[in-house]
Amino acid sequence: MIRPGEYIRDIFKAATGTATTARGWVKTRRDSKGVTFIQLSDGSTFADLQIVVETGTIPENILKDVTTGACIAVIGEVVESPAAGQSVELKAREIQVYGAADSTTYPLQKKGHTMEFLRGIAHLRPRSNTFGAVYRVRNAISYAIHKFYQERGFLYLTAPLITTSDAEGAGAMFSVSTLDMMNLPRTSEGQIDYEQDFFGKKAHLTVSGQLEAEIFALAFSNVYTFGPTFRAENSNTPRHLAEFWMIEPEMAFCDLDGNRQLAEEFLKYVIAYVLDNCKADLEFFNKRIDDTVLATLENVAGSDFAHVTYTEAISILEKAVSGGKSFEFPVFWGADLQSEHERYLTEETFKKPVIVTDYPKEIKAFYMRLNDDEKTVRAMDVLAPRIGEIIGGSQREERYDVLLDKIRKQNLPEEHYWWYLELRKYGTAPHAGFGLGLERILMYVTGMKNIRDVIPFPRVPGYADF
RNA sequence: UCCCUGUUAGCUCAGUUGGCAGAGCGCUUGACUGUUAAUCAGGAUGUCGCUGGUUCGAGUCCAGCACAGGGAGCCA
């Protein structure tokens, strides 16, 4: 095992003359008459360690296996590099080959590959520059998320992944069953008899931990979940996954303004953390993936988000239309904001993240708190340029009678919400929360264009390999 | 799921009016006194996505299917 102090990122900081061993995978190799250069990576940092092999030091039968993709250990000495490109390099005294990689068939070449090709070799793409950087940033963001909430006294809640609550309403769900699909038990009415299933009733993979988070917020004040979420929608877009990771904070004694402030503070914190801790990776994204990434992140970390109500957003869009802008979908009060409308607001009007609040009640979920105008609810979407919706949240309806009335008016099965209603019956409190898609924020931070390329192994309709 | 576009060497792509299957990179052999996706010279490499149709002849035209990309919907 590699211990702290032995990673390649540590070797870069070692004093010249230090004897050390580097282990990792060969990115490329260059030969000259008297010297061979090997670029070695162990994933610990963006830069490769340059190994210098003076001809004759290493037996030819070992050196012949040191090709792109091979796994090797190099025993040698840290020396000052005489050439530009790196401050130190490792002068090899001995090389051990753990695993050769046939250079005529190894698919990763020392040249640019398309994301589509790399997606097909998800077992090897973590060794590429791009995906190395993606997964290091993903790791850093995950850590920053816990750090942000823990520093603020939030309780980390692991919400269940399997649920029998069909009250969530956030999208199509995957069934969880042990019934024999070739021989399904039937009720006397001919329906599938879920009483004979593993959980004694119909079960699904969760589409949100929000309801469980509300339970915990009404006991621990501030809580957050951070875990996988599943949506069975047949979505084929660069922004959707069937399995993705979501962070859902839920705060008691919090209204929509507090919710909005936390969302903004949270996004800025995560971005600042990545700027401070993943500089080399971000510089790579800026150079090779999207040359606006660094400027955008620095700008977002240091400026305030725009905030408009839905009603104000509609009037901005209406003004744009009367000024000659044409949209595919009509703009009127009561219509849901389409992707093109969100794009206009973030990319043309404000040119930064925009928080839109107070949507018409008809286009938002039943649990969102009704405003005094009785036409809008305390909903909140954070929209980011290029990505679209990055956060969705709301202040929750904490008034028992109002919530019951909404459940009845929307013809929802009242009996399924018994415990959700009881939370309002026994010690209710104003509370609010939101959901942030981990992969969405990763796309924003890295500039990666497809959500399938910011998760280790994407699950989408028709594809769940690796 | 809907609309549009695409699928040719290991990768990225060109392929004209239907008439011998191409390039760059990678790989390989050699050269080069320190290279940075090294450079220079030589070499090998094909189920033209699949199935059928039209034709003397199909990578090229037609139909169906599969997969991928972009856009839309659903949303985080």
Side-chain angles (χ1 to χ4, degrees):
Chain A
M1 181 170 66
I2 295 180
R3 302 263 179 196
E6 299 168 353
Y7 291 104
I8 283 177
R9 67 164 169 252
D10 301 318
I11 293 174
F12 278 119
K13 293 182 211 141
T16 56
T18 307
T20 190
T21 301
R23 294 180 178 83
W25 290 265
V26 176
K27 277 249 180 75
T28 70
R29 164 182 170 171
R30 295 177 293 275
D31 291 295
S32 250
K33 177 130 184 174
V35 65
T36 292
F37 300 98
I38 300 159
Q39 298 295 127
L40 195 68
S41 169
D42 66 356
S44 63
T45 188
F46 181 81
D48 304 321
L49 179 64
Q50 174 159 285
I51 311 293
V52 183
V53 182
E54 284 177 5
T55 303
T57 323
I58 306 295
E60 190 51 41
N61 68 323
I62 287 174
L63 209 52
K64 73 171 171 37
D65 281 337
V66 179
T67 58
T68 301
C71 183
I72 64 172
V74 181
I75 300 162
E77 184 189 339
V78 178
V79 297
E80 204 174 321
S81 180
Q86 60 283 316
S87 56
V88 296
E89 57 195 25
L90 185 64
K91 191 174 177 185
R93 198 179 72 233
E94 195 184 326
I95 290 180
Q96 181 193 343
V97 177
Y98 289 108
D102 183 350
S103 57
T104 61
T105 56
Y106 186 67
L108 274 180
Q109 304 171 355
K110 48 180 173 183
K111 57 167 282 192
H113 287 296
T114 60
M115 296 303 153
E116 294 78 36
F117 172 71
L118 292 169
R119 218 173 284 151
I121 49 166
H123 59 309
L124 297 172
R125 71 176 184 171
R127 299 184 197 175
S128 68
N129 286 333
T130 302
F131 285 90
V134 165
Y135 299 136
R136 273 187 300 276
V137 171
R138 188 181 169 102
N139 172 69
I141 285 185
S142 299
Y143 178 68
I145 287 164
H146 280 294
K147 195 163 179 280
F148 176 83
Y149 289 110
Q150 293 294 331
E151 282 171 359
R152 281 157 186 75
F154 281 58
L155 182 100
Y156 175 44
L157 153 69
T158 54
L161 303 189
I162 297 172
T163 173
T164 55
S165 161
D166 53 2
E168 305 193 14
M173 294 187 280
F174 289 102
S175 295
V176 175
S177 174
T178 53
L179 292 177
D180 177 4
M181 285 197 274
M182 295 298 284
N183 186 23
L184 291 167
R186 299 282 175 175
T187 63
S188 50
E189 292 86 39
Q191 302 296 308
I192 295 167
D193 185 5
Y194 286 104
E195 281 186 21
Q196 294 187 43
D197 204 348
F198 189 88
F199 295 107
K201 55 169 86 166
K202 203 168 178 181
H204 305 280
L205 292 179
T206 184
V207 293
S208 166
Q210 181 197 318
L211 302 190
E212 288 85 357
E214 284 189 52
I215 293 173
F216 269 60
L218 294 175
F220 296 93
S221 309
N222 290 327
V223 303
Y224 70 107
T225 71
F226 183 5
T229 303
F230 307 89
R231 302 277 166 91
E233 250 105 31
N234 191 10
S235 296
N236 292 286
T237 82
R239 303 179 302 282
H240 290 89
L241 291 164
E243 177 186 280
F244 63 99
W245 285 64
M246 187 152 67
I247 301 95
E248 295 179 288
E250 190 74 31
M251 298 76 69
F253 320 112
C254 183
D255 62 8
L256 189 66
D257 289 334
N259 204 22
R260 181 164 56 80
Q261 284 159 19
L262 187 80
E264 180 169 345
E265 196 185 334
F266 175 41
L267 284 175
K268 286 180 178 173
Y269 181 97
V270 166
I271 287 168
Y273 184 88
V274 175
L275 281 170
D276 285 347
N277 291 278
C278 304
K279 196 73 188 190
D281 294 316
L282 291 180
E283 277 166 4
F284 171 79
F285 291 124
N286 204 65
K287 190 172 157 198
R288 290 288 175 89
I289 305 293
D290 179 345
D291 64 8
T292 66
V293 154
L294 268 179
T296 301
L297 294 183
E298 278 158 10
N299 180 43
V300 165
S303 68
D304 292 332
F305 291 9
H307 171 216
V308 291
T309 64
Y310 168 87
T311 303
E312 289 163 347
I314 290 293
S315 87
I316 289 169
L317 294 167
E318 281 172 340
K319 266 182 209 143
V321 169
S322 56
K325 172 80 186 172
S326 75
F327 292 113
E328 190 187 339
F329 291 87
V331 176
F332 59 92
W333 200 96
D336 207 352
L337 295 181
Q338 303 292 327
S339 290
E340 55 175 346
H341 304 140
E342 296 179 350
R343 277 227 161 108
Y344 183 84
L345 292 172
T346 56
E347 293 171 10
E348 296 188 48
T349 307
F350 296 104
K351 296 185 167 59
K352 61 180 176 181
V354 182
I355 307 185
V356 183
T357 59
D358 300 288
Y359 285 76
K361 65 179 177 188
E362 287 78 12
I363 58 174
K364 289 292 181 183
F366 74 97
Y367 54 73
M368 298 186 179
R369 193 181 197 278
L370 191 63
N371 275 314
D372 291 343
D373 63 11
E374 303 216 335
K375 293 192 302 196
T376 57
V377 291
R378 306 241 78 189
M380 162 183 101
D381 282 357
V382 181
L383 310 176
R386 193 168 55 83
I387 313 299
E389 186 178 337
I390 201 166
I391 281 179
S394 65
Q395 183 176 341
R396 322 303 188 190
E397 183 56 75
E398 87 282 13
R399 297 164 296 186
Y400 182 89
D401 295 340
V402 179
L403 185 64
L404 183 60
D405 187 53
K406 284 186 85 176
I407 287 173
R408 286 178 176 164
K409 277 188 177 147
Q410 293 191 25
N411 286 320
L412 297 168
E414 194 178 317
E415 63 280 10
H416 289 148
Y417 296 91
W418 68 272
W419 56 263
Y420 197 64
L421 282 159
E422 278 203 358
L423 287 175
R424 277 75 179 163
K425 202 160 143 188
Y426 303 121
T428 192
H431 61 289
F434 59 82
L436 169 89
L438 176 65
E439 288 76 21
R440 293 265 173 96
I441 183 75
L442 261 168
M443 289 173 76
Y444 188 67
V445 166
T446 60
M448 296 292 285
K449 304 285 182 293
N450 194 313
I451 201 165
R452 301 170 193 211
D453 301 324
V454 294
I455 190 166
F457 305 103
R459 273 80 180 95
V460 294
Y463 189 84
D465 289 357
F466 298 100

